C-alpha cells in the first residue's frame, strides 16, 4: 500500500499505532493478495499525497471508491482518463456548467482539482471489485475521520462541500468559525433533483475563498 510522505504524516501517524489500524492494515494486505481490490495499491492514499494538508482549501467528501475495472484512482468522484464518467460525476459537471459556465469535459479525471488544494477524500479508501461498500466497517471510517479532524483543526478559511447524508454527518467535526460548510443532496441520479441541482456549491466556494484573500479554484477540467 502507498505511504503518506508529506505534511499529513505528523497528524496521521498517530493512527498507525492504534489497534483498529493494525487490524485494518492486515485485512487490506490480505485482500489485495486474495481478491481484486480497487483502487490500485499505489493509489490508496493518493488524495493525501496530491493535496498536502497545508495546501487544503476545499474538502469534497465521497463514500466508497468506484468498484468497476479501471475507475477508482484514489480521489472521490474521479475516474481515470478514458473511463466513462459515472452518473454522479456527470451531474457534478452539469451543476458546474449551470453554476459557473464551465464546459462539460470528456475526462472524469479530477486530479487538476486536487493539485489546486481540493481534498477529494472518500470515507472508505478501498473496495472489492463489483461489491460496493465491501470494506465498510473495517476501519477506514476511523482513519478518514481523523483526516477530517486534522483539516478542521487548521486555523484558516477552508470550505467543506458535503453532498448527501453520509458526508453531512461529518459536519459535527467542523467547528472552526473560519470554515464554511456547503451542504446539499448527493449528486447521484437518485437524489440530484432533491436539492443538488441549483445549489451552486462551486461559486459559493470561490466567493468565500476570494473574500478571504485566497486564490479561488479553477474548476474547469480540461481534456
Amino acid at each position: 500500500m502507498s505511504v503518506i510522505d508529506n505534511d499529513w504524516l505528523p497528524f496521521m501517524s498517530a493512527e498507525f499505532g492504534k489497534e483498529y489500524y493494525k487490524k485494518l492494515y492486515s485485512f487490506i494486505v490480505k485482500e489485495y493478495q486474495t481478491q481484486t481490490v480497487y483502487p490500485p495499491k499505489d493509489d490508496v492514499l493518493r488524495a493525501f499525497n496530491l493535496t498536502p494538508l497545508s495546501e487544503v482549501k476545499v474538502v469534497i467528501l465521497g463514500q466508497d471508491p468506484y468498484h468497476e475495472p479501471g475507475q477508482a484512482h484514489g480521489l472521490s468522484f474521479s475516474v481515470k482518463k478514458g473511463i466513462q464518467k459515472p452518473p454522479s460525476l456527470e451531474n457534478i459537471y452539469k451543476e458546474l456548467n449551470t453554476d459557473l459556465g464551465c464546459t462539460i469535459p470528456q475526462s472524469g479525471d479530477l486530479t487538476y482539482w486536487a493539485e489546486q488544494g481540493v481534498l477529494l477524500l472518500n470515507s472508505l479508501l478501498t473496495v472489492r471489485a463489483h461489491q460496493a461498500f465491501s470494506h465498510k466497517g473495517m476501519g477506514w471510517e476511523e482513519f478518514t475521520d481523523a483526516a477530517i479532524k486534522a483539516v478542521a483543526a487548521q486555523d484558516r478559511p477552508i470550505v467543506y462541500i458535503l453532498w448527501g447524508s453520509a458526508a453531512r454527518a461529518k459536519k459535527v467535526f467542523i467547528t472552526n468559525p473560519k470554515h464554511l460548510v456547503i451542504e446539499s443532496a448527493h449528486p447521484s441520479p437518485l437524489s440530484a433533483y432533491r436539492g443538488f441541482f441549483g445549489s451552486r456549491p462551486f461559486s459559493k466556494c470561490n466567493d468565500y475563498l476570494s473574500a478571504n484573500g485566497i486564490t479561488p479554484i479553477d474548476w474547469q477540467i480540461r481534456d
Side-chain angles (χ1 to χ4, degrees):
M1 195 163 67
S2 56
V3 297
I4 296 174
D5 59 5
N6 58 18
D7 64 358
W8 279 103
L9 191 56
F11 291 86
M12 302 306 295
S13 59
E15 302 304 302
F16 301 151
K18 294 182 179 179
E19 194 61 30
Y20 88 86
Y21 188 85
K22 294 176 184 178
K23 291 180 181 178
L24 169 64
Y25 187 84
S26 296
F27 169 77
I28 294 301
V29 168
K30 185 175 181 180
E31 284 287 283
Y32 275 102
Q33 290 172 343
T34 61
Q35 305 289 333
T36 299
V37 176
Y38 302 125
K41 285 188 288 186
D42 289 345
D43 286 339
V44 172
L45 299 174
R46 190 162 181 257
F48 295 95
N49 290 323
L50 279 179
T51 312
L53 179 58
S54 60
E55 298 177 16
V56 173
K57 299 178 182 180
V58 183
V59 180
I60 297 180
L61 296 177
Q63 298 181 47
D64 200 34
Y66 298 123
H67 53 267
E68 296 303 324
Q71 292 181 313
H73 64 144
L75 303 176
S76 62
F77 297 102
S78 181
V79 292
K80 295 178 181 179
K81 289 183 179 180
I83 299 296
Q84 183 176 352
K85 293 170 289 187
S88 291
L89 183 54
E90 290 276 19
N91 287 338
I92 289 169
Y93 280 169
K94 288 177 183 178
E95 180 62 18
L96 257 175
N97 175 258
T98 301
D99 189 4
L100 292 174
C102 292
T103 58
I104 296 177
Q106 292 299 313
S107 174
D109 187 342
L110 305 181
T111 298
Y112 182 57
W113 292 0
E115 292 172 340
Q116 295 179 75
V118 182
L119 179 65
L120 296 166
L121 184 67
N122 281 314
S123 292
L124 309 177
L125 299 186
T126 55
V127 66
R128 278 190 189 182
H130 319 302
Q131 298 181 45
F133 295 106
S134 49
H135 288 177
K136 185 177 182 180
M138 303 308 298
W140 278 132
E141 297 93 336
E142 191 166 347
F143 185 78
T144 55
D145 279 356
I148 297 168
K149 292 173 185 177
V151 177
Q154 303 302 299
D155 194 30
R156 64 179 193 277
I158 294 173
V159 179
Y160 300 79
I161 298 177
L162 308 181
W163 292 325
S165 58
R168 295 167 86 171
K170 309 301 184 183
K171 186 177 177 180
V172 65
F173 301 137
I174 307 163
T175 58
N176 190 325
K178 292 182 180 179
H179 297 179
L180 174 67
V181 175
I182 300 170
E183 53 185 317
S184 75
H186 195 274
S188 75
L190 294 174
S191 57
Y193 287 96
R194 300 176 187 167
F196 173 74
F197 287 134
S199 61
R200 305 182 70 88
F202 307 102
S203 60
K204 291 175 182 175
C205 172
N206 278 358
D207 287 348
Y208 191 77
L209 294 176
S210 296
N212 284 279
I214 300 169
T215 302
I217 304 300
D218 176 10
W219 295 104
Q220 180 67 68
I221 296 295
R222 294 163 178 81
D223 290 318

